[in-house]
Amino acid sequence: MRTTRCWLCMLVSFTLLAMLMGVLSAADEPREIARPDEAAEREWMTAYIGTYTRGSDSQGIYRFRVDPVSGEMTEPELAGEVVNPSFLAIHPHGKFLYAVSEIEDLDGRPTGGVVAFSIGAANGELTRLNAQPSGGGSPCHINVDSWGGHVYVANYGGGSVAMLPIAEDGSLKPASAVVQHAGKSVDPRRQEAPHAHSITLSPDEKRAYVADLGLDQVLVYDIDHKEGTLTPAEPPHASVAPGAGPRHFDFHPNGELAYVINELSQTVTAFEFDAESGRLQEVQTISTLPGAPVPGNSTADIHVHPNGKALYGSNRGHNSIVVYAIDADRGTLKLVQHQSTLGEVPRNFAIVPGGNVLLAENQESGTIASFTIDPETGLLNATRQMVKVPKPVCIRFMPATSH
């Protein structure tokens, strides 16, 4: 009996040991992590990346997904081929995408192009619909109105802006309006002629605001959506300091403030905005750098946080995102942070819808880095999440109601 009990004890012991070893082995084995496609759709957002193809390995427009809370990203994959799709706009219905083709010659004509794509409902791949002349060389910025009636384009090389109607099938009709800028400013190398660098619609979409680097002006146009025309407003522009070089422009969500980032002077100018008249009145100009000028630095992009408490701008050379707190009463800016973008030449950046994450596109290092945002202070914190894509320039997110 004693021998039998011993054998039973040994058997139980070996069984327990085997079970324990099995648990430990399972714990050591790598577990399969759920892919974003398997996560709830509301937890991940689809976005498209515009790039420079010339002088790089890029083939066009790329697609990836991002967690809007953690900043985790999937590896970008090619969605559609086009030459130099440096800036993108997505139709409000989410079924079409529009890209500038930042070139000087389209089919033998001295103009850049605007290319229309349909977006595949199943896989997000892009199918080319058609292309139209942009009305000037080197188109570098594009927008679409909230009902998908027109596309608006700024031509840097041509120093002009254009308005193109959108057909029912999402394709583009020829431009209904092209406005040529004229003049120059004080920098003989960069401001020898007009250089329209961005076109932004007012909150009520009655006007278009065009930052022209070559003229040191933010030009204002009245929009006739029915006729498809752009007419100089009254007043027709707001000026910044000579040699400032205004580049990108953004409105505050309160509808009473606006900001332009100046590429050449490495500053941001804050304006009071009168929605009724369209007038911009300067209230402050502030440096984007922490101290003395940085040799070779220039600014690029600017965005107000959706809650209106912070403003962000990108420094190329200093390779940082500058963060300002916005005074709730006056709209003036107070410097609170410079966050490294963990790469070289952050041409543009994007705040993920919801306001929890910022994505910085490092053009020269070919990376996109993510940062979480403190909603109260606006401060950025690096997530150490980073993906690679050649020469990234622009990120645009799919509307939540798309498809």
Side-chain angles (χ1 to χ4, degrees), residues 48-52 61 82-90 97-102 113-115 139-143 152-154 197-199 247-248 300-301 303 347-349 361 393-396:
Y48 290 86
I49 307 166
T51 69
Y52 279 121
I61 302 169
V82 61
V83 178
N84 280 2
S86 61
F87 235 83
L88 314 175
I90 296 177
L97 180 145
Y98 303 97
V100 300
S101 182
E102 193 171 329
V114 188
V115 185
C140 62
H141 196 262
I142 186 169
N143 254 311
Y152 304 80
V153 184
H197 221 311
S198 63
I199 183 164
R247 181 184 173 100
H248 279 196
D301 204 6
H303 294 287
R347 184 182 178 93
N348 291 315
F349 63 93
E361 300 139 81
V393 178
C394 169
I395 294 176
R396 287 292 179 263

Side-chain angles (χ1 to χ4, degrees), residues 84-330:
N84 280 2
S86 61
F87 235 83
L88 314 175
I90 296 177
H91 191 281
H93 298 163
K95 296 182 179 181
F96 310 110
L97 180 145
Y98 303 97
V100 300
S101 182
E102 193 171 329
I103 55 178
E104 294 285 347
D105 183 280
L106 179 69
D107 300 328
R109 290 174 288 182
T111 178
V114 188
V115 185
F117 296 89
S118 64
I119 300 175
N123 53 20
E125 290 185 0
L126 302 177
T127 301
R128 186 183 177 112
L129 296 175
N130 74 329
Q132 294 286 358
S134 67
S138 298
C140 62
H141 196 262
I142 186 169
N143 254 311
V144 60
D145 51 41
S146 62
W147 57 89
H150 291 86
V151 158
Y152 304 80
V153 184
N155 297 296
Y156 178 83
S160 62
V161 293
M163 182 177 179
L164 293 83
I166 300 173
E168 288 187 8
D169 65 357
S171 63
L172 291 168
K173 299 179 181 181
S176 58
V178 177
V179 182
Q180 178 64 54
H181 297 176
K184 60 182 180 179
S185 193
V186 298
D187 187 321
R189 186 176 66 88
R190 296 293 310 279
Q191 297 181 310
E192 81 299 345
H195 294 297
H197 221 311
S198 63
I199 183 164
T200 305
L201 302 188
S202 60
D204 61 10
E205 303 191 24
K206 292 181 179 179
R207 299 181 182 87
Y209 288 75
V210 181
D212 193 307
L213 182 145
L215 302 182
D216 283 325
Q217 293 176 347
V218 178
L219 293 96
V220 188
Y221 293 99
D222 291 326
I223 304 172
D224 187 322
H225 296 278
K226 183 178 180 180
E227 299 297 325
T229 60
L230 298 169
T231 305
E234 184 55 47
H237 65 263
S239 296
V240 294
R247 181 184 173 100
H248 279 196
F249 183 88
D250 199 14
F251 285 98
H252 192 281
N254 69 6
E256 298 176 354
L257 303 164
Y259 302 89
V260 69
I261 195 162
N262 301 305
E263 177 178 338
L264 305 183
S265 64
Q266 302 154 67
T267 60
V268 169
T269 299
F271 298 98
E272 290 181 349
F273 169 60
D274 181 359
E276 184 175 351
S277 67
R279 184 185 300 271
L280 297 171
Q281 180 66 47
E282 181 180 346
V283 295
Q284 181 194 26
T285 294
I286 186 172
S287 174
T288 65
L289 295 171
V294 175
N297 185 71
S298 63
T299 65
D301 204 6
I302 188 169
H303 294 287
V304 181
H305 191 276
N307 68 15
K309 294 182 178 181
L311 178 73
Y312 303 86
S314 56
N315 282 305
R316 300 175 293 176
H318 190 253
N319 297 331
S320 65
I321 301 294
V322 58
V323 185
Y324 306 98
I326 299 176
D327 184 282
D329 295 322
R330 300 180 58 240

